C-alpha cells in the first residue's frame, strides 16, 4: 500500500534531523532530495516551525515536525499556546521528551509539565508520529506518557535492555544514528532490537560522521551497518527500513 507520507522514489529515511540548524538548510534539503532521502525535519521550538515549513515547501521529501525540546522547556514554555495552534498543520511532532541531565529540579518539573501538555494536545488533535528524546529519563518518559494515540519513535535511545523491551512491548520504534553504532553498548542494543522496529536517523548537525556534522545522506551508511548486523544485503536492509517507516507513519490505523 502506498504511504501517504513518502514521496515517490524515496530510497532512504532520516527520521530525525535538525535541518533548520545547519548553516544552509536549503542546501541540505536539496542534497537529500537528490539522493532520494526522506527527512523528518524536527524543530526545537514552536516559533521556528513555520519558517521551516516555508523553506521546506519546495521539497516533497521533507516532512516538517513541530517540537519543543526538553532542554528548552523552561525558556519556551510560553510557546505552548503556539504549539497547540500549529498542531493541526502536521502529522509529525518532535523534538519533544524529557532530559534527565537537567541539574535543576525545576527544570525537570517544567519538562514533565510541557510534555504532559503536548500529549494532552495530541489526545485532542488525533494521532501523530512523535520523535521522542529520553536521555537519562526513559522511565520518567514512560510514566508521563499515558494513552495518547501516536506512533512513537525513540530517538538516540540509550536506556537499558529491559527498557528497550518495554518500549518494544508498547509498539514503539527506535531511530538509530551513527553515534549509537559507533559504541559497543549502542551496537549491542541495536542488535537486540527486532528489525521491524528500527529506523535510521542522522540527528544532524549534532551527531558526527568522520569528524564533521552528520547529514541526511549519511543514513545510507547506517543502512550498510544494519545490513551487516542483520546479515542482509544492503537493498534488503534498505527495504526493511522504508517499510518500517511506512508502517510507523501511516496514522490511519492508530
Ligand atoms: Mn535531536
Amino acid at each position: 500500500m502506498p504511504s501517504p507520507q513518502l514521496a515517490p522514489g524515496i530510497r532512504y529515511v532520516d527520521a530525525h534531523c535538525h535541518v533548520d540548524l545547519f548553516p544552509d538548510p536549503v542546501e541540505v534539503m536539496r542534497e537529500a532530495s537528490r539522493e532520494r532521502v526522506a527527512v523528518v525535519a524536527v524543530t526545537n521550538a514552536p516559533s521556528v516551525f513555520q519558517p521551516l515549513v516555508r523553506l521546506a515547501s519546495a521539497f516533497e521529501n521533507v516532512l516538517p515536525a513541530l517540537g519543543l525540546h526538553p532542554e528548552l522547556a523552561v525558556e519556551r514554555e510560553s510557546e505552548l499556546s503556539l504549539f497547540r495552534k500549529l498542531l493541526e498543520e502536521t502529522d509529525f511532532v518532535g523534538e519533544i521528551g524529557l532530559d534527565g541531565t537537567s541539574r535543576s529540579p525545576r527544570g525537570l518539573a517544567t519538562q514533565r509539565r510541557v510534555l504532559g501538555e503536548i500529549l494532552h494536545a495530541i489526545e485532542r488533535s488525533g494521532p501523530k508520529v512523535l520523535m521522542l528524546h529520553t536521555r537519562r529519563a526513559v522511565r520518567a518518559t514512560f510514566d508521563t506518557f499515558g494513552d495518547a494515540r501516536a506512533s512513537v519513535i525513540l530517538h538516540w535511545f540509550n536506556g537499558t535492555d529491559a527498557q528497550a523491551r518495554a518500549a518494544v512491548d508498547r509498539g514503539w520504534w527506535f531511530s538509530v544514528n551513527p553515534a549509537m553504532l559507533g559504541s559497543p553498548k549502542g551496537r549491542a542494543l541495536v542488535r537486540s532490537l527486532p528489525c521491524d522496529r528500527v529506523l535510521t536517523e542522522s540527528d544532524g548537525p549534532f551527531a558526527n560522521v568522520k569528524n564533521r556534522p552528520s547529514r541526511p545522506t549519511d543514513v545510507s551508511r547506517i543502512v550498510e551497518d544494519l545490513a551487516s548486523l542483520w546479515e542482509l544485503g544492503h537493498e534488503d536492509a534498505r527495504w526493511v527500513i522504508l517499510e518500517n517507516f511506512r508502517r510507523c507513519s501511516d496514522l490511519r490505523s492508530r
Side-chain angles (χ1 to χ4, degrees):
M1 191 185 298
S3 158
Q5 310 289 4
L6 282 181
I10 288 296
R11 296 172 49 79
Y12 295 98
V13 173
D14 180 351
H16 187 112
C17 181
H18 298 264
V19 169
D20 62 338
L21 299 181
F22 281 85
D24 187 348
V26 170
E27 196 268 319
V28 172
M29 293 191 271
R30 191 177 295 126
E31 179 187 66
S33 169
R34 207 165 43 230
E35 303 290 324
R36 306 314 292 150
V37 183
V39 183
V40 179
V42 294
T43 54
N44 286 344
S47 52
V48 298
F49 176 72
Q50 282 171 313
L52 170 74
V53 168
R54 280 192 287 276
L55 283 183
S57 62
F59 299 97
E60 59 176 4
N61 60 312
V62 178
L63 305 161
L66 173 66
L68 205 169
H69 197 287
E71 289 176 293
L72 294 177
V74 171
E75 202 180 305
R76 303 297 181 110
E77 187 176 11
S78 59
E79 292 187 26
L80 273 173
S81 54
L82 182 59
F83 182 96
R84 290 187 201 96
K85 213 174 294 171
L86 295 171
L87 189 55
E88 295 304 324
E89 296 183 20
T90 181
D91 286 341
F92 295 89
V93 173
E95 180 164 358
I96 59 166
L98 298 176
D99 190 300
T101 62
S102 164
R103 278 191 217 127
S104 84
R106 176 175 161 247
L108 205 52
T110 306
Q111 287 182 25
R112 279 179 186 263
R113 187 166 63 238
V114 165
L115 181 61
E117 288 291 327
I118 287 171
L119 295 171
H120 189 54
I122 290 167
E123 277 166 35
R124 282 169 300 173
S125 75
K128 303 285 178 188
V129 183
L130 310 187
M131 271 62 63
L132 211 56
H133 173 115
T134 56
R135 182 167 56 188
R136 301 218 190 139
V138 178
R139 182 169 303 167
T141 309
F142 285 166
D143 291 346
T144 310
F145 212 79
D147 300 316
R149 284 186 304 149
S151 283
V152 176
I153 302 175
L154 291 166
H155 135 75
W156 202 330
F157 181 80
N158 193 19
T160 64
D161 289 347
Q163 289 168 335
R165 279 194 301 276
V168 168
D169 290 343
R170 285 169 174 244
W172 292 3
W173 279 269
F174 298 79
S175 60
V176 169
N177 67 32
M180 291 169 75
L181 289 167
S183 83
K185 180 177 178 249
R187 288 185 82 82
L189 178 98
V190 173
R191 200 190 298 268
S192 76
L193 299 173
C195 16
D196 65 354
R197 295 303 176 76
V198 175
L199 297 165
T200 47
E201 69 170 40
S202 67
D203 200 22
F206 296 113
N208 276 298
V209 170
K210 296 186 175 166
N211 299 317
R212 55 151 178 89
S214 61
R215 304 167 71 82
T217 43
D218 290 317
V219 296
S220 66
R221 252 174 259 188
I222 308 175
V223 170
E224 192 60 39
D225 258 15
L226 290 171
S228 74
L229 278 184
W230 294 338
E231 298 179 10
L232 289 178
H234 184 96
E235 284 303 286
D236 287 339
R238 186 175 73 73
W239 187 86
V240 168
I241 300 296
L242 271 186
E243 200 48 38
N244 289 349
F245 189 75
R246 280 197 187 97
R247 284 188 295 116
C248 163
S249 63
D250 187 348
L251 294 172
R252 291 171 297 193
S253 58
R254 298 269 143 196

